Amino acid sequence: MKWSTSLLGLLSFIAVVVNGAENPRIIIVGAGAAGVAAASRLYQRGFRNIIILEASQRFGGRIYTTPFGPGIVELGAQWCHGEVGNVVYQLASVYPGLLKSSIIADEDAVLIRSSGARVPEAVADRLQTMAEGIIESDQRDSFAGSLGDFFTQKYWQTLATPAYKDISRDLAEQFLVYYHNYERGYTAYDSWFEVAASETDSYVEPAGNQDIAWNGKKGFSTILDIVSGNYPGTTNTSLTPVPINSLVKYGKFVSNIQWKGSPEGDVIVKTQDGTIYEADHVIVTVSLGVLKENSGTMFSPALPTVNQQAITGLYFGTVNKIFLLFDAPIPEDFPNTVHLLWYKSDLTALRQSPHAWAEAISTFFRIDNQPNVLMAWMNGAEGRRAESLDDATIRNGILHLLKIFGNGLDFGNITGLLRSKWSSDRLFRGSYSSRSITTENLNTGARALGTPVRNAANEPVLLFAGEATNPVHYSTVHGAIDSGFREANRLINYYS
């Protein structure tokens, strides 16, 4: 079998044999973590007829390690979350010095009020522990309303008990607003009133340190080298070096996939530049945001109902980052992690100011290995709107917040600014997936999204991978890599 001809010429490929059968033609759409994982697993098991169609000019997707100042920062995935059952940790931890506990993992997060006063550590710990207990409560499973309704009800009930009689009403209100903002950033939804308290899919947190940082010049991108067998010093003989760059066709935005393509059963893939490919199987690894925007025209015929409902029902939210480079180290008195608590009057004033967009910022973080860099974390609808603002407006808004929550500290001068714009980027349209009330109403989830589409001969011709297809590790790189391995294994098993 061979690649089809198009106006752009003949796309030829070499046929080899896998387990006595001609090596199938496999197209992978998207060169993010899931796409690289799927391609690597297939290649390392003897499949060679692989092409990865990537719409951008780089691979990595939402892993986006970027030079900034004297080092690097992570515009996308930043920390390895957990150790046990985390494929990223399992693959990377065998290399001494590659991973280390992040500076934000030392439990010194500080809650600072818009008066500049810090919430006493003991009080902050009690409130945080109480809030986490509500989020993790088994009572959520039998609650019919939203997560926001459940949390606020339990929150005020708990605060009414004698154990919390020392917590003032204004602090309780401020903490509630902060914790909602914190949860929005953690799970990438706009409001917890859009999320069902009882969820069918439940994220499973791998045991161990949840904030593990990367050493080295390539940061989180190193995991792509490890998965593809290209990390220097790789000793795992099963990780055959995969020529990723020779497999990837860059600048190829897939506009249509005819999964009931030719009479011979080929899948026909068309890209926006007019190129046409034929394949036996296509693994789609684009973000859920791209599927939401394009699935109506991307697939011919329309996807089965099970996949369509998952695309509609799953949530895909926004978390953005702003990195600021100063001409001096961040002041020692500024904690590694700062959560922002607003008095109502101060928040009202902010909303009426030119810095209204800055309400989207929930937290400031210091950056590992970059003492002069500070990161602001933005969530939700306000964070999306901020993507359209110019850098000068963003810079002034950050400085305004630092005057309030930096308690008179001297941060020096800003010499560089870098930020993500995940929602306005047509190749992503958001940051990562979560669940909503619609998810539960449609009785759908990650497994439904990852259901393979089969042709009349019951062959899996269209497969789906990516963090949003992982029912227990969605929203993570390890979830994306696991899903890429899963779909590669599906084809490997099919041909074995």
Side-chain angles (χ1 to χ4, degrees):
M1 306 175 95
K2 63 183 180 181
W3 296 100
S4 67
T5 57
S6 73
L7 294 177
L8 297 184
L10 180 67
L11 302 171
S12 60
F13 214 65
I14 299 172
V16 297
V17 173
V18 176
N19 294 334
E22 185 176 293
N23 200 1
R25 302 161 301 168
I26 300 171
I27 289 177
I28 297 171
V29 183
V36 170
S40 298
R41 176 61 57 86
L42 288 165
Y43 191 95
Q44 290 159 353
R45 297 299 187 272
F47 292 75
R48 294 292 188 269
N49 282 12
I50 301 169
I51 282 184
I52 307 174
L53 300 178
E54 168 55 44
S56 73
Q57 296 299 325
R58 66 176 184 87
F59 68 85
R62 283 166 279 169
I63 297 177
Y64 200 175
T65 306
T66 306
F68 187 62
I72 55 98
V73 293
E74 305 287 359
L75 278 173
Q78 186 157 348
W79 299 286
C80 173
H81 298 298
E83 301 166 58
V84 180
N86 181 330
V87 67
V88 170
Y89 182 83
Q90 292 167 350
L91 288 170
S93 59
V94 299
Y95 301 100
L98 186 56
L99 298 175
K100 68 172 186 176
S101 183
S102 172
I103 58 174
I104 74 159
D106 57 9
E107 305 299 333
D108 77 335
V110 174
L111 306 182
I112 301 182
R113 306 169 85 173
S114 55
S115 62
R118 301 187 181 192
V119 177
E121 182 179 354
V123 174
D125 288 346
R126 286 167 58 210
L127 288 171
Q128 192 79 16
T129 300
M130 180 260 284
E132 290 171 359
I134 295 173
I135 287 291
E136 297 169 3
S137 171
D138 292 338
Q139 295 178 34
R140 284 179 56 175
D141 297 337
S142 57
F143 191 85
S146 71
L147 174 59
D149 291 327
F150 175 80
F151 186 94
T152 52
Q153 184 183 115
K154 293 296 181 183
Y155 179 76
W156 291 116
Q157 287 176 356
T158 305
L159 284 175
T161 63
Y164 293 92
K165 63 181 180 180
D166 61 314
I167 305 297
S168 65
R169 178 76 186 194
D170 64 340
L171 176 57
E173 290 175 345
Q174 291 166 24
F175 183 86
L176 180 62
V177 173
Y178 144 70
Y179 198 77
H180 181 206
N181 220 5
Y182 168 82
E183 278 293 308
R184 292 199 309 161
Y186 187 75
T187 54
Y189 48 66
D190 284 3
S191 168
W192 56 15
F193 294 103
E194 300 174 327
V195 180
S198 177
E199 296 178 314
T200 303
D201 282 344
S202 295
Y203 179 79
V204 176
E205 184 177 278
N209 188 348
Q210 297 301 306
D211 302 300
I212 302 172
W214 296 81
N215 280 320
K217 297 179 180 179
K218 298 191 73 172
F220 212 137
S221 297
T222 304
I223 193 61
L224 302 173
D225 292 338
I226 295 174
V227 167
S228 62
N230 290 300
Y231 186 70
T234 297
T235 58
N236 187 339
T237 56
S238 71
L239 301 180
T240 305
V242 180
I244 292 294
N245 274 317
S246 68
L247 300 183
V248 178
K249 306 294 182 183
Y250 293 102
K252 298 293 185 180
F253 187 96
V254 172
S255 56
N256 185 253
I257 301 171
Q258 298 179 25
W259 54 274
K260 290 185 179 178
S262 70
E264 292 78 25
D266 298 328
V267 182
I268 299 173
V269 179
K270 298 179 180 179
T271 57
Q272 210 163 58
D273 64 5
T275 312
I276 299 174
Y277 301 84
E278 292 179 0
D280 298 295
H281 310 277
V282 174
I283 304 176
V284 178
T285 73
V286 300
S287 77
L288 176 59
V290 171
L291 289 176
K292 283 180 175 291
E293 183 170 77
N294 299 290
S295 63
T297 56
M298 190 175 183
F299 301 100
S300 300
L303 290 174
T305 300
V306 63
N307 306 91
Q308 288 190 50
Q309 286 192 324
I311 292 170
T312 299
L314 289 170
Y315 198 93
F316 200 68
T318 302
V319 176
N320 275 318
K321 300 176 181 179
I322 304 168
F323 294 97
L324 296 162
L325 175 66
F326 293 88
D327 61 1
I330 305 304
E332 289 185 7
D333 289 340
F334 196 75
N336 291 341
T337 304
V338 172
H339 298 305
L340 314 186
L341 274 64
W342 289 96
Y343 283 94
K344 284 184 178 180
S345 58
D346 292 335
L347 190 55
T348 299
L350 179 73
R351 289 170 176 169
Q352 296 172 350
S353 78
H355 312 303
W357 67 270
E359 183 181 346
I361 295 176
S362 63
T363 307
F364 285 110
F365 294 105
R366 288 175 178 263
I367 299 299
D368 293 279
N369 306 318
Q370 288 265 50
N372 290 30
V373 176
L374 189 66
M375 177 178 68
W377 195 286
M378 288 194 304
N379 310 321
E382 305 93 340
R384 284 195 297 279
R385 287 194 291 268
E387 293 185 17
S388 64
L389 301 176
D390 59 36
D391 284 356
T393 301
I394 298 295
R395 173 185 177 277
N396 292 336
I398 295 288
L399 290 175
H400 178 73
L401 292 186
L402 290 179
K403 287 179 181 178
I404 296 172
F405 295 96
N407 201 22
L409 299 174
D410 183 7
F411 286 84
N413 300 308
I414 296 175
T415 60
L417 185 150
L418 181 68
R419 56 190 174 124
S420 62
K421 299 179 180 180
W422 292 110
S423 277
S424 55
D425 191 328
R426 70 188 288 253
L427 306 186
F428 300 98
R429 295 301 190 210
S431 303
Y432 43 86
S433 67
S434 59
R435 279 47 189 152
S436 71
I437 290 176
T438 306
T439 310
E440 304 308 314
N441 288 343
L442 292 177
N443 192 28
T444 189
R447 286 186 178 86
L449 180 59
T451 302
V453 177
R454 299 177 180 271
N455 61 15
N458 201 35
E459 299 168 331
V461 292
L462 187 58
L463 304 92
F464 294 89
E467 55 85 11
T469 72
N470 194 312
V472 293
H473 291 150
Y474 51 86
S475 78
T476 66
V477 173
H478 58 272
I481 290 174
D482 272 336
S483 74
F485 288 161
R486 179 195 69 217
E487 297 311 308
N489 289 339
R490 192 188 304 274
L491 292 180
I492 291 166
N493 293 336
Y494 177 77
Y495 281 97
S496 65

